[in-house]
Amino acid sequence: MIIGWMRAFVDRPAELRAEAVRFWAAVTGTEPADGGLLVPAKGDAHVEVRSGAALALEVADVEAALTVARALGAEAIEAGETEAVVRSPGGTVFRLEQWSGAAERSPVVGDADVFQVCVDVPAAAFDEEVAFWSRWTGWPSREAARPEFAVVQPPDAMPFRLLIQRLEDGGPGAHLDLACPDRAATRARHEELGARALRELPWWTVMEDPAGGTYCLIAARPAS
């Protein structure tokens, strides 16, 4: 299966989409296009404000990709020749779309970078979810620094990676993680744009954007 590109979704209700687009365009240094796509000045878009899914994977053959996903325990919510909506074994909703040719990672603008989608799953589904994403994509998985996380690492050309998080309570769901070398400075800038901090932890800060959705600031250097 050929995965050509990925887009991370800022999943917010339709009535709050305009506020979410305003905020996320500002923090990513992009320009909003019709439908909530955030377009960088250089490179291909990989962040989109959209309701109802965690991310989109652009593939060479949607029907073939869906067939493999089903064989690994996923469920098709909607299916067509050029796009589909799929639920993973752990309950993560994502989209399959026909690859449009996107292939160029945009350079980092500012002090933070959307570097991973964190997929939140119930504890009982964690191992199956990690296995699904690794086997379905063909990308290797590995344990992270903390036991409740596992990383599914795509090729370097992809714009972000997947982090699978085991939740003892709650789930499924997903959120964006932004890498930033100075969390305090990035937090202050995001607060000026209308976000608020919910929880401060040793290596990350849990934030809420003006549309009411959560995301995290991670103590890490943005990708170049």
Side-chain angles (χ1 to χ4, degrees):
M1 184 178 66
I2 299 175
I3 299 175
W5 195 243
M6 308 165 70
R7 299 196 316 282
F9 288 166
V10 180
D11 183 5
R12 303 292 182 266
E15 64 272 17
L16 298 174
R17 187 174 299 164
E19 183 65 9
V21 167
R22 177 199 65 80
F23 174 81
W24 284 96
V27 301
T28 58
T30 54
E31 290 292 331
D34 292 342
L37 190 67
L38 303 181
V39 181
K42 182 180 179 181
D44 293 307
H46 64 279
V47 179
E48 183 173 350
V49 179
R50 185 164 184 167
S51 304
L55 72 159
L57 294 107
E58 297 185 19
V59 296
D61 188 328
V62 170
E63 291 184 349
L66 182 56
T67 296
V68 176
R70 282 171 163 159
L72 293 172
E75 172 193 3
I77 300 172
E78 300 175 11
E81 291 185 3
T82 60
E83 59 182 28
V85 181
V86 187
R87 182 181 290 110
S88 74
T92 305
V93 177
F94 63 98
R95 294 183 61 86
L96 289 176
E97 298 179 3
Q98 190 69 43
W99 185 20
S100 62
E104 183 182 355
R105 176 69 158 88
S106 59
V108 177
V109 177
D111 58 355
D113 176 38
V114 176
F115 84 113
Q116 66 187 15
V117 171
C118 183
V119 174
D120 306 315
V121 296
F126 178 76
D127 290 340
E128 184 180 18
E129 189 76 353
V130 174
F132 167 78
W133 283 104
S134 182
R135 292 177 63 191
W136 181 70
T137 60
W139 301 337
S141 64
R142 61 175 173 80
E143 295 181 354
R146 295 174 60 93
E148 67 268 31
F149 297 110
V151 173
V152 177
Q153 186 66 54
D156 291 343
M158 291 295 167
F160 54 86
R161 68 182 189 179
L162 300 180
L163 182 72
I164 316 298
Q165 178 175 209
R166 180 177 61 240
L167 298 180
E168 297 302 327
D169 298 302
H175 63 269
L176 301 190
D177 288 341
L178 281 67
C180 49
D182 188 336
R183 276 192 297 158
T186 302
R187 169 183 167 174
R189 187 168 74 88
H190 286 205
E191 288 174 335
E192 290 176 356
L193 292 167
R196 67 188 185 102
L198 300 179
R199 191 178 180 191
E200 195 75 46
L201 296 163
W203 296 103
W204 67 87
T205 304
V206 182
M207 303 288 292
E208 182 181 77
D209 70 18
T214 58
Y215 65 100
C216 290
L217 302 178
I218 309 294
R221 184 177 299 279
S224 60

